[in-house]
Amino acid sequence: MLRSIKKIHGAEYRPIADLITYSPMPTRSLDMIDPFLFLNHHGHQTYPENNRGLPFGPHPHRGMETVTFILEGDIMHKDSSGHESVIEAGGVQYMTAGKGLIHAEVSSSEFKKKGGDLEILQLWMNLPAAKKMVTPHYVGLQKEEIPTLELDEGKVKVQQLFGEWNGVSGAFEGNFPVSLSTIYVDEGGKFEKEIPAEENIFFYIVRGKVSVNGQSIPFRNLVEFSNEGSTLKVNADEDSVVILGHALPFNEPVVAQGPFVMNTEQQIYEAYQDYQTGKFGSWNG
């Protein structure tokens, strides 16, 4: 039985400085798809030579995780736990904020000097209450380090990030059972996936246009599914890129303020207190 579509959510335009940004969640029509919390879609845009690059200087996080998809351009990560990397086009970053850290996400000096195309997405995933205060963790992988599989005679290429698909295990070990993939589909390509009805689906069209269970949907749209049916059938009307995730919902209280995602207002207060008293580590810019 095909999984039924509940609603299509268009990404809202929310520029950040000179960075083109669209966000389909949260919006006025959609708060979250538990345990997926938030998505920012930066670009596509072309930066000139001698640009300022990404504007995300040092800032704190607690209680959640980020997955950052670099489609074009690059991103330089640095955090108060000592991690540092530059991930280029096709690569992915996975950061667990856990009990708290400070990090910056900016463009490399080379990108700022030379400019170029940029398209980057960041997805926030919640952490279950029992793991809100785990030790922070970061892994950045380049394109060639990420396991991939091909479907439909090579018309569909899947970067498997979390979980397993057709015997291919994901690049990252998560803090809860989740499947997450970046899927590149050539025009005319198609794939199917069986997803248990009790799991929530995160389905965002980054580029192109696809037909999902018979409904044609263009890029910069997030598909909200009901929990009825288990089959996804996807056909590409154009060359397309899709982010597909699915997981059981936590069904826990979510209190989010700024960069912190916890279960109670008291925990948010404690997060601000801990950050202000230096418990997130020191920043050496």
Side-chain angles (χ1 to χ4, degrees):
M1 179 180 169
L2 294 178
R3 178 74 76 104
S4 59
I5 293 174
K6 190 174 178 181
K7 192 172 182 181
I8 309 299
H9 300 271
E12 296 181 355
Y13 182 50
R14 297 176 185 167
I16 302 169
D18 62 351
L19 179 62
I20 293 170
T21 301
Y22 290 84
S23 181
M25 183 180 78
T27 62
R28 289 177 289 258
S29 65
L30 180 66
D31 188 32
M32 61 182 283
I33 297 176
D34 186 8
F36 305 99
L37 298 171
F38 168 96
L39 181 74
N40 260 352
H41 182 175
H42 306 299
H44 181 272
Q45 69 190 95
T46 303
Y47 275 75
E49 293 180 357
N50 301 313
N51 63 81
R52 291 175 294 180
L54 294 168
F56 305 112
H59 58 280
H61 284 295
R62 172 178 281 182
M64 36 68 74
E65 306 188 301
T66 63
V67 182
T68 308
F69 308 79
I70 301 92
L71 270 66
E72 301 284 353
D74 67 27
I75 188 166
M76 183 167 68
H77 170 100
K78 185 176 181 180
D79 66 47
S80 55
S81 293
H83 304 111
E84 193 169 347
S85 70
V86 176
I87 302 299
E88 298 173 342
V92 176
Q93 296 179 332
Y94 169 47
M95 185 189 78
T96 300
K99 64 182 180 182
L101 86 173
I102 302 166
H103 79 146
E105 296 165 305
V106 297
S107 301
S108 70
S109 56
E110 183 177 5
F111 184 86
K112 287 190 283 188
K113 181 181 178 182
K114 294 183 178 179
D117 292 341
L118 182 141
E119 187 168 20
I120 292 173
L121 298 94
Q122 185 168 92
L123 172 67
W124 290 18
M125 299 193 300
N126 201 3
L127 281 169
K131 294 191 174 182
K132 287 287 189 190
M133 299 294 282
V134 296
T135 301
H137 182 66
Y138 169 84
V139 180
L141 298 178
Q142 306 292 359
K143 179 180 179 179
E144 57 273 13
E145 299 176 290
I146 298 171
T148 60
L149 64 145
E150 293 189 355
L151 306 169
D152 193 16
E153 300 177 332
K155 294 177 186 174
V156 180
K157 295 178 178 64
V158 179
Q159 282 188 322
Q160 192 62 15
L161 307 179
F162 293 84
E164 183 261 1
W165 191 340
N166 282 13
V168 176
S169 296
F172 304 105
E173 189 68 40
N175 282 288
F176 59 93
V178 59
S179 177
L180 187 64
S181 314
T182 314
I183 308 171
Y184 297 80
V185 193
D186 295 342
E187 182 177 351
K190 61 185 184 296
F191 67 90
E192 290 188 20
K193 193 171 192 191
E194 293 294 317
I195 299 170
E198 61 270 20
E199 294 190 12
N200 287 345
I201 296 174
F202 179 89
F203 190 104
Y204 181 72
I205 299 108
V206 180
R207 295 179 180 172
K209 184 198 293 185
V210 299
S211 294
V212 186
N213 290 356
Q215 185 167 343
S216 184
I217 305 166
F219 75 113
R220 292 201 192 117
N221 278 283
L222 178 69
V223 184
E224 182 185 7
F225 292 89
S226 74
N227 290 96
E228 298 172 356
S230 58
T231 304
L232 277 192
K233 287 189 176 183
V234 179
N235 300 270
D237 304 326
E238 305 171 356
D239 290 351
S240 301
V241 180
V242 169
I243 296 173
L244 170 60
H246 53 92
L248 288 169
F250 296 165
N251 295 320
E252 296 175 346
V254 175
V255 180
Q257 283 188 24
F260 307 134
V261 183
M262 303 302 290
N263 301 111
T264 68
E265 293 282 355
Q266 176 61 27
Q267 289 171 340
I268 293 288
Y269 171 78
E270 290 167 0
Y272 277 104
Q273 289 291 107
D274 288 350
Y275 170 57
Q276 289 163 2
T277 55
K279 292 183 180 177
F280 283 28
S282 59
W283 181 259
N284 298 308

